[in-house]
Amino acid sequence: MSKQLYRVSSGGLIDRARALSFRFDGKSYDGFAGDTLASALLANGVRLFGRSFKYHRPRGLLSAGPEEPNALVELRTGARREPNSRATVVELFQDLEATSQNRWPSLGFDVLSLNGLAAPALVAGFYYKTFMWPATFWEKLYEPLIRRAAGLGRAAELEDPDHYDKAFAFCDVLVIGAGPAGLSAALAAGRSGARVIICDEDFRLGGRLLAERREIDGGGAGDWLAAILAELASLSEVRIMPRTGVFGLYDHGIYGAVERVNDHVAVPPAHQPRQRGWRIYAKRAILAAGALERPIVFPGNDRPGVMLSGAVRAYVNRFGVLPGREAVVFTAGDGGWATVRDLTEAGAHVAAIVDARSEINPEFKTMALRVGARVFAGSVVEATHGGHALHSVTVRDASGKRARLACDLLAVSNGWNPTLHLTSHQNGKPVWEETIQAFVPGRLPPGLAVAGSAAGRFTLAEALQDGARLGREAAVEVGFAAAAADPVPATDAETDGLAPVWRVRGNRGKAFVDLQNDVTDKDVELAAREGFRSVEHLKRYTTLGMATDQGKTSNLAGLAIMAEQVGKAIRETGTTTFRPPYTPVAIGALAGHHRGKEFRPVRLAPTHDWSRKQGAVFVETGQWLRAQYYPKPGEQDWLATINREVLTTRSGVGLCDVSTLGKIDIQGNDAAEFLERVYINGWKTLPIGKARYGVMLREDGFVMDDGTTSRLGENHFLMTTTTINAAKVMQHLEFCHQVLWPGLDLRMVSVSEQWAQAAVAGPRSREVLRRVVDAKHDISNEAFPYLAAGEITVGGGIPARLFRISFSGELAYELAVPADYGDAMMHALMAAGEPYGITPYGLDGLNVMRIEKGHAIGTELNGQTTARDLGLGKMMSSKKDFIGRLMAKREALVQADRPSLVGFRPVDTNNRLWAGAHFIGIGRAAKTENDEGYMTSVAYSPNLKHWIGLGFLKNGPTRIGERIQAVDPVRNGEVEVEVCSPIFFDPEGTRLHG
């Protein structure tokens, strides 16, 4: 067991009975349950945690929370490796494996620290000035070097084996932050009976109470905290969510949050997610996120051992760890003196207190005398000394006299910034509050209130009072009677005097503003000299605030230095824009289960099991799985299977599942008028009991989709769409009705999943249907001709719909039954067709037959073609208006030489055609300027015994019989083809009307 040399003998909130072993950079250490990775390493005497981004300077801990800019590590190994994890918020667990990052070959000896020698050349904006010449160096030298040096950690190279979840929650009051203000707010709202959710990103609730030694109502703050948590847990309408960080505020009271469900174990338990992304809908919300302590910019302020004063107290009081044994406290306010007290009582020696203020509270001087610390009033720390750890500091007093003090810890206190980021996520602008020398929330998003330190009210008494008041008010605003108000708890005395110091001048060492991106005060000065004075320009030119910590500890110091340079007040410089997420969010938590095969839901047709039992090979079409083809034993490849399916269908009968086609039921007095406006052809004249092929355009005049629509009654139509565009068409129709023509009297609903539908095609199709359709229905050619549609019954009274439509060019029908009868329908049709040798055929067989007949589908309806391009220009009615009519007449869309749909067959019928090939005139070079079109669909026709294709060719219909080259440079193919009619088989259509 490793010796935790800096662990105090007692105290803290860790569980000393539960020792945990872990590894950092291959070395084994021990900590306790309740530790963070940072506190456990600190207890073991580790001071060097990482290297800076640009100069690779050694860096140690600065903070104890989510604002940490330095201690970024890789967690876990292999497929679970996770870069850029902040050691200060990583909950320690057994066998945790962590690795330092952004160094080579090791953390202690980083070769890239030589970058520091080139510091004069690596100032702000150097990349804009350095890599411009010579131009030929960019690809060969500059880009490879930049890419090699860029980045911090390493992402896992294997698929993440863990699961991530997405969830939704609804509440009356959402409380963000479980410190004293947040807990008071949650309790006040919860006592009223309101549904309350309280979230905190920490694994232990209590906020700053965990880090401070405070009294509430005469007892320890820990006792008050335990009582509050117990009462909250007893309230049935209160949901407590630790390890849950709210990262964004969105419209309509929606908040994004991530719950780290199992980040605190090596491997999540079976069937449990590692993280869960929450979408929380709140009628009211209270932001009680506390505040972030500010550092001071001075030379050497990045050396390991320089820490924020509040962080030092957190490690001492919460984790029972001494960040150093010989300390100096550099403070600009009263807060630093609390650190003197806590360090001393934990066993450290405070060598000196450097207070930038000339006047010091006599009580503080008495404290210094009692602990044996020297006091430097009106003084500053102007330099630090040491290598991988702090050894000493140089103090300069008001007269300019310097003293060098030995120490291994420098605690810095410069006041606090309210954690107001969420208040700005809807363009709210923070406002400067002179009395606390900080920005506070300005205009708040609807439904949000801010309590305690997040609002700039930093005392414990104010936090408790704020929380209770806002909790009651929120409950009342959503309709609950306010619970009786308890007296605000009494707290021990505290002072909050402050005279912030933004930076210390007078030493040649580097003074860092942004510790993670190595932005110095000189970089800010350079930006001002070069005209990048706007805070947004400053940010981008210097990269100030653009690292993973998003400038939580650096933004205000940078703004203050810029204000000084341009002679303005800080309030006049403004702030950069805060955007979600507040802290880094794993993409997995946003995606949830939506990855791999679960990226989007897989939809199965009602007849899917039947197709599976028939041995179908499936293919994804949109969200649906459709049967691609049905192989039989002995067939050598997919082509042999498809040839059999096509030949059997054309000679006898075939059965194809078309359930996945979009089906939209449209009813109402204005249903026909509605169709007139969305389709290019007419619909008012369509008789009841008939179907018609239709084409609809987008607003820009290009084809959106095609399909048939049947008139089942005077005001009742059933529209079919392509499988892939079903949702898009439904969305389009809803927009047209609700936005463009809300006065039309109609209703529509998607019924795609309510009906199972099968195409029965081939010369024997009517005979097969005759065995399934109830005898009272006449489906003879005379009674039920081509494009007939109607409601019938099958199987002795089961309601069904029958459509005489065909995309195969054969005598064909489509039979639809309620989805529950889909499987039975397919079995019945196969049994009825057995005497005729019926075969199921899939999507590939259907495509072969539709290419033989020149029917356009998705590869031709690709969003770049017009009705004229497809040879459907004559369908466009000149007697009515419809969506896309005017835009379809644009000059470029009606040019005579615009590529149009034609057919292609190889001159040498032994050659194969490839979709995607481009058409080039014979004897001309395969260059873009000679490109005359492209092949969209190809198939081997078992009827013609050679390959055929459809495509778009300039002046296509006028070039029938011409020979051109089909060039495919990707697959090294070049085939001479003949331009022909797109209808290869049965051009007269006699089979269709059989």
Side-chain angles (χ1 to χ4, degrees), residues 895-900 902 932 953-960:
Q895 289 178 349
D897 65 346
R898 184 175 170 83
S900 301
V902 287
E932 297 189 74
L953 180 68
K954 288 184 177 180
N955 294 309
T958 66
R959 300 172 66 176
I960 302 298

Side-chain angles (χ1 to χ4, degrees), residues 782-968:
E782 295 74 22
F784 207 81
Y786 178 57
L787 291 179
E791 296 181 327
I792 60 169
T793 57
V794 296
I798 298 171
R801 290 169 176 171
L802 188 64
F803 310 91
R804 175 92 181 266
I805 52 181
S806 174
F807 287 92
S808 62
E810 295 294 330
L811 169 66
Y813 300 82
E814 290 188 11
L815 177 64
V817 297
D820 288 347
Y821 294 96
D823 189 75
M825 173 185 69
M826 300 303 280
H827 280 93
L829 289 171
M830 286 295 290
E834 186 175 356
Y836 309 106
I838 192 170
T839 184
Y841 65 94
L843 190 58
D844 282 0
L846 175 61
N847 282 342
V848 170
M849 289 186 280
R850 71 97 185 165
I851 292 173
E852 289 180 334
K853 293 297 295 180
H855 287 305
I857 60 163
T859 48
E860 287 78 42
L861 308 179
N862 61 4
Q864 299 174 313
T865 54
T866 68
R868 292 181 180 85
D869 298 341
L870 297 167
L872 304 175
K874 293 182 179 179
M875 283 181 61
M876 299 175 68
S877 174
S878 60
K879 300 178 180 179
K880 68 182 182 81
D881 194 11
F882 52 86
I883 287 180
R885 180 178 68 89
L886 291 177
M887 296 295 278
K889 293 179 180 180
R890 286 177 290 171
E891 182 179 355
L893 302 187
V894 296
Q895 289 178 349
D897 65 346
R898 184 175 170 83
S900 301
L901 187 69
V902 287
F904 302 89
R905 55 186 170 217
V907 173
D908 181 350
T909 55
N910 292 318
N911 286 333
R912 177 174 181 170
L913 302 183
W914 294 94
H918 284 254
F919 301 127
I920 307 292
I922 292 178
R924 307 189 73 179
K927 297 181 178 180
T928 303
E929 54 266 29
N930 295 329
D931 190 3
E932 297 189 74
Y934 59 96
M935 192 94 70
T936 53
S937 300
V938 299
Y940 179 81
S941 171
N943 295 289
L944 303 178
K945 302 190 184 311
H946 63 75
W947 287 84
I948 58 176
L950 300 176
F952 295 95
L953 180 68
K954 288 184 177 180
N955 294 309
T958 66
R959 300 172 66 176
I960 302 298
E962 183 181 333
R963 294 184 178 184
I964 57 175
Q965 298 176 94
V967 179
D968 186 351

Side-chain angles (χ1 to χ4, degrees), residues 112-288:
L112 286 177
S113 63
L114 293 173
N115 285 359
L117 300 177
L122 300 180
V123 295
F126 77 93
Y127 32 81
Y128 297 126
K129 306 167 185 176
T130 308
F131 302 120
M132 303 299 291
W133 56 272
T136 55
F137 276 32
W138 176 253
E139 290 186 2
K140 297 178 181 178
L141 179 62
Y142 297 150
E143 185 178 19
L145 285 175
I146 293 171
R147 288 191 179 278
R148 187 174 183 84
L152 290 172
R154 302 169 300 158
E157 297 176 357
L158 302 173
E159 182 179 355
D160 190 341
D162 295 328
H163 295 286
Y164 299 83
D165 203 0
K166 293 171 74 173
F168 298 79
F170 300 83
C171 63
D172 298 311
V173 181
L174 169 67
V175 180
I176 304 164
L183 292 171
S184 297
L187 186 62
R191 283 173 172 172
S192 72
R195 291 178 303 165
V196 177
I197 294 176
I198 180 169
C199 299
D200 196 285
E201 60 190 340
D202 205 335
F203 57 89
R204 192 175 189 121
L205 304 184
R208 284 301 301 179
L209 290 181
L210 304 177
E212 307 288 357
R213 299 173 64 232
R214 301 301 306 274
E215 292 184 1
I216 300 178
D217 279 343
D223 297 333
W224 179 88
L225 180 59
I228 293 294
L229 291 175
E231 184 173 353
L232 286 172
S234 71
L235 298 175
S236 61
E237 295 295 335
V238 174
R239 181 174 193 168
I240 303 172
M241 298 180 68
R243 300 190 179 96
T244 304
V246 177
F247 62 78
L249 187 160
Y250 304 91
D251 291 340
H252 314 302
I254 299 174
Y255 294 79
V258 170
E259 180 184 9
R260 302 188 310 279
V261 183
N262 282 299
D263 269 3
H264 59 293
V265 295
V267 177
H271 312 300
Q272 288 191 23
R274 180 174 166 191
Q275 295 182 359
R276 181 178 291 120
W278 283 94
R279 188 182 178 108
I280 302 175
Y281 294 75
K283 296 177 181 178
R284 293 292 184 274
I286 298 170
L287 178 63

Side-chain angles (χ1 to χ4, degrees), residues 49 116 221 244 312 381 398 470 506 758 798 880 966:
F49 280 72
T244 304
V312 171
V381 173
L470 293 176
I798 298 171
K880 68 182 182 81

